[in-house]
Amino acid sequence: DTGVSQNPRHKITKRGQNVTFRCDPISEHNRLYWYRQTLGQGPEFLTYFQNEAQLEKSRLLSDRFSAERPKGSFSTLEIQRTEQGDSAMYLCASSSSSSYNEQFFGPGTRLTVL
Amino acid sequence: QKEVEQNSGPLSVPEGAIASLNCTYSDRGSQSFFWYRQYSGKSPELIMFIYSNGDKEDGRFTAQLNKASQYVSLLIRDSQPSDSATYLCAVTRGSYIPTFGRGTSLIVHP
């Protein structure tokens, strides 16, 4: 296991379509985070899981966004009825229970909504 | 006022010089402070973190924290062209959820 992986790396979709992204964290990490980053900005927190429990969601996360981590391993982030404003890099990160502050980021999924 | 402020730059320094990157934060209850490096088109990677007032050194990097002034900085000694990247400052308060600044672009020219 060499790190956090995310799929797909790029996604182009039309406005109104649904998209789903997957994140596989570092295997022993029990915390998993989702962020969104737009050009010229730092990552913005969306939500995080500890094991399978979703513990916090940002106010930024509209009802069109949903995330799951059903078995406490990989996680999915779904965006329904995509809008052009959803175009961004979606980053996943994970951390271990012994060092929550040290988050390791995946390569990200770049979403373009046409 | 944004919670974490950084000058977007770019900050340009010659190779071998000291690069000084600065960050201010608004929440006095912030407890942990982080510096991430992000190369263009890549994801952030953690360089170092600091919890207590003062300096923390790790190789060519030194983080400095002044809670009274709500100020954290990163010094990079003997800057190399490979240090050219965006440096993100982040702070947390208790829940381990970081709030990031917009980042400072650093250019180290030969």
Side-chain angles (χ1 to χ4, degrees):
Chain A
D1 191 333
T2 57
V4 180
S5 62
Q6 292 186 246
N7 287 288
R9 296 292 306 277
H10 303 274
K11 179 69 177 180
I12 299 173
T13 191
K14 293 182 178 179
R15 188 178 54 185
Q17 298 295 305
N18 299 343
V19 295
T20 300
F21 310 141
R22 175 176 170 133
C23 171
D24 287 87
I26 294 172
S27 58
E28 63 269 25
H29 286 184
N30 64 344
R31 280 206 175 184
L32 186 149
Y33 310 79
W34 284 100
Y35 297 87
R36 178 172 63 190
Q37 186 175 26
T38 54
L39 194 63
Q41 302 297 319
E44 292 178 300
F45 168 75
L46 295 178
T47 189
Y48 90 94
F49 294 83
Q50 181 160 312
N51 300 312
E52 65 274 11
Q54 187 173 18
L55 296 187
E56 189 168 335
K57 293 194 292 186
S58 166
R59 291 188 302 273
L60 295 174
L61 209 64
S62 79
D63 291 345
R64 297 184 297 105
F65 288 70
S66 62
E68 294 183 339
R69 194 183 184 196
K71 297 182 180 178
S73 56
F74 73 92
S75 175
T76 58
L77 177 68
E78 181 182 20
I79 309 174
Q80 296 182 326
R81 305 180 303 282
T82 52
E83 301 172 357
Q84 288 185 323
D86 297 330
S87 295
M89 176 73 84
Y90 289 84
L91 294 164
C92 175
S94 68
S95 64
S96 71
S97 55
S98 61
S99 188
Y100 284 141
N101 272 324
E102 296 187 63
Q103 296 188 19
F104 295 84
F105 282 83
T109 295
R110 181 166 296 284
L111 173 66
T112 302
V113 181
L114 302 176
Chain B
Q1 181 190 10
K2 284 185 67 70
E3 293 182 48
V4 180
E5 296 267 12
Q6 294 182 260
N7 188 320
S8 60
L11 172 66
S12 182
V13 301
E15 184 175 356
I18 296 175
S20 178
L21 302 156
N22 305 314
C23 171
T24 58
Y25 59 95
S26 60
D27 184 354
R28 285 197 169 274
S30 298
Q31 297 173 312
S32 305
F33 307 85
F34 305 84
W35 284 99
Y36 286 81
R37 177 175 61 199
Q38 187 171 27
Y39 292 112
S40 181
K42 302 295 186 181
S43 57
E45 57 177 321
L46 182 64
I47 299 174
M48 57 191 309
F49 52 86
I50 185 168
Y51 303 140
S52 304
N53 277 328
D55 295 359
K56 180 180 178 182
E57 188 174 316
D58 184 359
R60 295 186 298 113
F61 299 97
T62 299
Q64 299 176 318
L65 175 61
N66 184 325
K67 289 187 177 181
S69 300
Q70 295 176 248
Y71 177 95
V72 58
S73 64
L74 179 70
L75 301 178
I76 306 174
R77 289 181 298 282
D78 188 25
S79 296
Q80 301 298 310
S82 58
D83 294 325
S84 298
T86 295
Y87 289 80
L88 298 163
C89 172
V91 303
T92 66
R93 178 186 176 143
S95 67
Y96 309 108
I97 307 301
T99 299
F100 286 84
R102 62 186 302 177
T104 298
S105 174
L106 172 67
I107 299 172
V108 181
H109 53 86

